[in-house]
Amino acid sequence: MKIITENITINNEVLTLTNHRAIYWQRENALILSDIHIGKTAHFRRNGIPVPDDILQKDLERLQKLILHFKAKTLLIVGDLFHAETNVDMTTFKKWLSQFEDLKLVLIKGNHDRQSKKLMTDLQIEVEKELNLEPFTLVHEHLKCHSEVFTISGHTHPGVLIKGKGKQKLKLPCYQISADQIILPAFSLFTGLNTASQPKDSVCYAFTDESIVKF
């Protein structure tokens, strides 16, 4: 897995965009990511939809490599760590977590995070409605009430549509960045891309396995 990075500075803080759907925040020694949707594949299979069972493993392998690459001590997850009811994927996640003795997990609760407090306690996850870490406020979804702060959020699964010659089209995940917010791409590869919604006056940093490109 090739890790490509691009540093940006916002409010005097250096944030490192990666081509693997997560940001590294140097000051906090933390990875910021969103929309992992653990449990989604098991939920689909339980309902008779034949989804490959290695999707979660691939997502967790990418996350492991990012943690090791940056030597991160904290995961700041801005919502939808989980997807559905408690299922076998939570056991897979717990086993994966056991390799990191000192890793701190903070979850800013998203609309899909409806699991029990018992599960969160068992996984040693700190749960917040929103998290203020100056100069940023971490939320799952940026709303009008956040207009006075700079938010880092997820929820919308942003992407860009690139049109080529003729009918050629290419969709890529991206970070959307404007004067008052960053919207993260969904971390899980098992998500769609929303290319129809983009904040006013924002720029997009789209990425592939080999590059990060600003639009």
Side-chain angles (χ1 to χ4, degrees):
M1 178 177 108
K2 190 174 182 180
I3 298 176
I4 307 296
T5 63
E6 172 108 5
N7 286 345
I8 60 173
T9 301
I10 296 178
N11 294 340
N12 297 317
E13 291 293 330
V14 177
L15 301 175
T16 302
L17 310 181
T18 76
N19 65 328
H20 290 286
R21 302 172 180 243
I23 288 177
Y24 177 66
W25 186 1
Q26 295 183 14
R27 190 193 80 188
E28 297 293 319
N29 193 12
L31 285 167
I32 311 174
L33 59 153
S34 183
D35 298 278
I36 307 178
H37 288 280
I38 294 168
K40 185 175 182 179
T41 53
H43 174 75
F44 276 41
R45 290 195 300 274
R46 180 183 291 181
N47 288 276
I49 302 172
V51 176
D53 59 6
D54 65 343
I55 292 173
L56 176 59
Q57 290 290 351
K58 290 179 179 178
D59 285 341
L60 294 178
E61 285 173 9
R62 285 189 301 115
L63 185 52
Q64 176 199 42
K65 290 176 181 177
L66 286 168
I67 292 168
L68 295 176
H69 177 82
F70 289 105
K71 298 181 175 59
K73 293 298 183 182
T74 303
L75 295 183
L76 299 172
I77 304 163
V78 291
D80 289 356
L81 170 61
F82 300 109
H83 179 78
E85 73 286 341
T86 299
N87 56 41
V88 67
D89 281 355
M90 284 61 174
T91 303
T92 300
F93 181 55
K94 182 178 181 179
K95 183 177 179 181
W96 176 87
L97 273 178
S98 66
Q99 68 187 294
F100 302 108
E101 293 182 1
D102 300 320
L103 186 66
K104 179 181 179 181
L105 271 71
V106 181
L107 170 63
I108 292 82
K109 196 171 183 179
N111 54 297
H112 282 282
D113 295 310
R114 298 187 292 269
Q115 284 64 36
S116 67
K117 290 183 179 180
K118 182 178 182 299
L119 176 66
M120 299 301 183
T121 300
D122 185 39
L123 295 175
Q124 297 184 316
I125 299 173
E126 177 184 328
V127 181
E128 304 285 352
K129 183 177 180 180
E130 64 179 49
L131 182 65
N132 296 306
L133 288 173
E134 291 293 341
F136 306 125
T137 297
L138 277 63
V139 295
H140 181 54
E141 182 180 7
H142 179 94
L143 302 171
K144 289 183 179 180
C145 62
H146 300 125
S147 59
E148 300 301 316
V149 297
F150 191 100
T151 64
I152 300 177
S153 65
H155 184 60
T156 61
H157 306 184
V160 294
L161 178 64
I162 302 171
K163 296 181 180 180
K165 293 182 179 179
K167 296 183 179 181
Q168 292 181 337
K169 295 180 181 179
L170 176 65
K171 288 185 178 181
L172 295 175
C174 72
Y175 303 88
Q176 294 175 335
I177 304 175
S178 65
D180 64 350
Q181 66 173 307
I182 296 175
I183 302 178
L184 301 175
F187 187 80
S188 178
L189 300 178
F190 189 42
T191 53
L193 291 176
N194 177 3
T195 62
S197 175
Q198 183 175 342
K200 184 179 179 181
D201 299 325
S202 64
V203 296
C204 295
Y205 286 82
F207 50 87
T208 67
D209 290 341
E210 299 294 330
S211 64
I212 298 175
V213 181
K214 181 179 178 180
F215 288 90

